[in-house]
């Protein structure tokens, strides 16, 4: 059973920063690309950033200069640091990974950015 446990999120004013984390077991973490998706109300879930097992990051264009994805092998945790947040960043953020061809998700964490 693959479990992804998210932490962080919350309410922040526009221009502020928040960090979310996602922890899983060591064997899963060390071998897997870890993803962060987000889902805004009324929209489908979309990829925001990902990081490979060797630490290579990927970002969508709209967050490339504001978000940083990182992984901490000692804690088996992947982080998404989000700076210069905008109201349009408001969404539920999900951690995800694929193990043996099956997609797994964390429970999601709400991020609300107010004006």
């Amino acid at each position: 059973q693959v479990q992804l446990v998210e932490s962080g999120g919350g309410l922040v004013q526009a221009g502020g920063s928040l960090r979310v984390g996602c922890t899983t077991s060591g064997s899963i973490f060390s071998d897997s690309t870890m993803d962060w998706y987000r889902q805004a109300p009324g929209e489908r879930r979309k990829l925001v950033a990902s990081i490979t097992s060797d630490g290579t990051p990927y970002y969508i264009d709209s967050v490339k200069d504001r978000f940083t994805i990182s992984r901490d092998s000692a804690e088996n945790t992947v982080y998404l640091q989000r700076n210069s947040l905008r109201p349009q960043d408001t969404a539920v953020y999900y951690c995800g990974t694929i193990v043996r061809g099956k997609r797994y998700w964390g429970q999601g964490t709400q991020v609300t950015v107010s004006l």
Side-chain angles (χ1 to χ4, degrees):
Q1 181 74 13
V2 176
Q3 288 189 318
L4 303 172
V5 180
E6 297 165 6
S7 59
L11 175 65
V12 65
Q13 286 189 325
S17 299
L18 277 177
R19 188 178 76 164
V20 288
C22 174
T23 302
T24 187
S25 65
S27 60
I28 299 300
F29 183 82
S30 62
D31 295 338
S32 301
T33 292
M34 304 296 293
D35 307 312
W36 281 103
Y37 281 69
R38 66 186 178 188
Q39 188 168 17
E43 298 185 9
R44 63 180 178 86
R45 199 171 297 185
K46 299 176 183 177
L47 178 67
V48 174
S50 64
I51 187 166
T52 63
S53 57
D54 65 359
T56 301
Y58 165 80
Y59 303 95
I60 60 172
D61 287 344
S62 62
V63 308
K64 195 170 290 186
D65 296 325
R66 301 183 296 121
F67 290 11
T68 302
I69 190 170
S70 62
R71 54 195 302 152
D72 185 330
S73 297
E75 297 183 357
N76 297 330
T77 300
V78 59
Y79 294 103
L80 186 67
Q81 175 69 41
R82 298 156 299 173
N83 300 325
S84 303
L85 284 163
R86 305 166 179 168
Q88 53 265 47
D89 294 318
T90 294
V92 179
Y93 284 73
Y94 294 92
C95 171
T97 191
I98 296 175
V99 178
R100 292 184 289 277
K102 184 176 179 181
R103 165 66 71 178
Y104 294 90
W105 298 106
Q107 78 277 13
T109 182
Q110 176 70 47
V111 173
T112 302
V113 184
S114 64
L115 289 170

